[in-house]
Amino acid sequence: DTGVSQDPRHKITKRGQNVTFRCDPISEHNRLYWYRQTLGQGPEFLTYFQNEAQLEKSRLLSDRFSAERPKGSFSTLEIQRTEQGDSAMYLCASSWASGSSYNEQFFGPGTRLTVL
Amino acid sequence: DQQVKQNSPSLSVQEGRISILNCDYTNSMFDYFLWYKKYPAEGPTFLISISSIKDKNEDGRFTVFLNKSAKHLSLHIVPSQPGDSAVYFCAAPRSNTGNQFYFGTGTSLTVIP
């Protein structure tokens, strides 16, 4: 399977704990995106990387959130001091793009986070 | 602010009939649109796209229509099949970067056998 993979698929944590999610993009893709989806909503953009550089962050990405993409391959999204409002599906996507061309983003299955 | 809107949360259609899913947008700078389909427990998968220089794009049973003056697009599925039952999202890239996609809230399509 050469699609986008995410780990874990489900995470249940207590409020105040830290959590980390991993995303492995399609290998030849240079761009990697993180989205958050809550019930009844569409995916909301959080941040994106081109290779290892984090080029854009949404205002939704508070100081408690940090994302990395070392070596331009896999990416991690860490949430510190989780709050109940962080409960959501966290989606990762990747694409191959150059310049500002519009390219299809391929999504992983998501990590569902529940904060108790 | 919701820049891409899908005002119908759900739609039910008989198998073999046409499904029409609608999407409205507010930002006149959007010049490219995509439709994604999402099954439960899976991530969204790309379905079809359209550039603003066109008013129609067709791919098999799926056709997307774009009305720029009305800031409206629609996805037609003909004929509808039970396997088409899923949540459909329309999306538009933010024009100045092309990377941040704005998604609508989705329409859940049920095709009744």
Side-chain angles (χ1 to χ4, degrees), chain B residues 60-87:
Chain B
R61 298 185 296 112
F62 302 91
T63 303
V64 56
F65 296 91
L66 176 62
N67 182 334
K68 290 186 290 294
S69 61
K71 296 193 183 72
H72 177 83
L73 63 156
S74 60
L75 174 68
H76 293 210
I77 306 174
V78 183
S80 301
Q81 299 174 353
D84 296 330
S85 297
V87 178

Side-chain angles (χ1 to χ4, degrees), chain B:
Chain B
D1 57 338
Q2 194 73 26
Q3 300 204 37
V4 178
K5 302 176 184 179
Q6 294 174 259
N7 294 318
S8 298
S10 62
L11 175 68
S12 291
V13 172
Q14 286 291 131
E15 180 178 4
R17 305 295 292 269
I18 184 171
S19 295
I20 300 176
L21 295 91
N22 294 304
C23 178
D24 297 293
Y25 60 96
T26 58
N27 191 335
S28 58
M29 297 298 291
F30 289 156
D31 56 8
Y32 192 74
F33 303 89
L34 307 92
W35 283 93
Y36 279 81
K37 179 169 72 173
K38 186 181 185 302
Y39 293 117
E42 296 182 11
T45 56
F46 171 74
L47 190 58
I48 192 169
S49 62
I50 188 167
S51 165
S52 62
I53 62 173
K54 297 184 176 181
D55 54 17
K56 175 182 174 181
N57 188 28
E58 189 172 355
D59 183 1
R61 298 185 296 112
F62 302 91
T63 303
V64 56
F65 296 91
L66 176 62
N67 182 334
K68 290 186 290 294
S69 61
K71 296 193 183 72
H72 177 83
L73 63 156
S74 60
L75 174 68
H76 293 210
I77 306 174
V78 183
S80 301
Q81 299 174 353
D84 296 330
S85 297
V87 178
Y88 290 79
F89 294 97
C90 64
R94 197 171 75 182
S95 296
N96 59 344
T97 66
N99 293 293
Q100 179 178 338
F101 279 20
Y102 293 105
F103 283 84
T105 52
T107 296
S108 178
L109 173 66
T110 301
V111 180
I112 304 165

Side-chain angles (χ1 to χ4, degrees), chain A residues 35-53:
Chain A
Y35 289 84
R36 181 179 73 182
Q37 185 178 14
T38 54
L39 195 62
Q41 300 296 317
E44 296 174 291
F45 172 82
L46 292 178
T47 187
Y48 98 92
F49 293 82
Q50 175 145 335
N51 301 313
E52 67 276 9

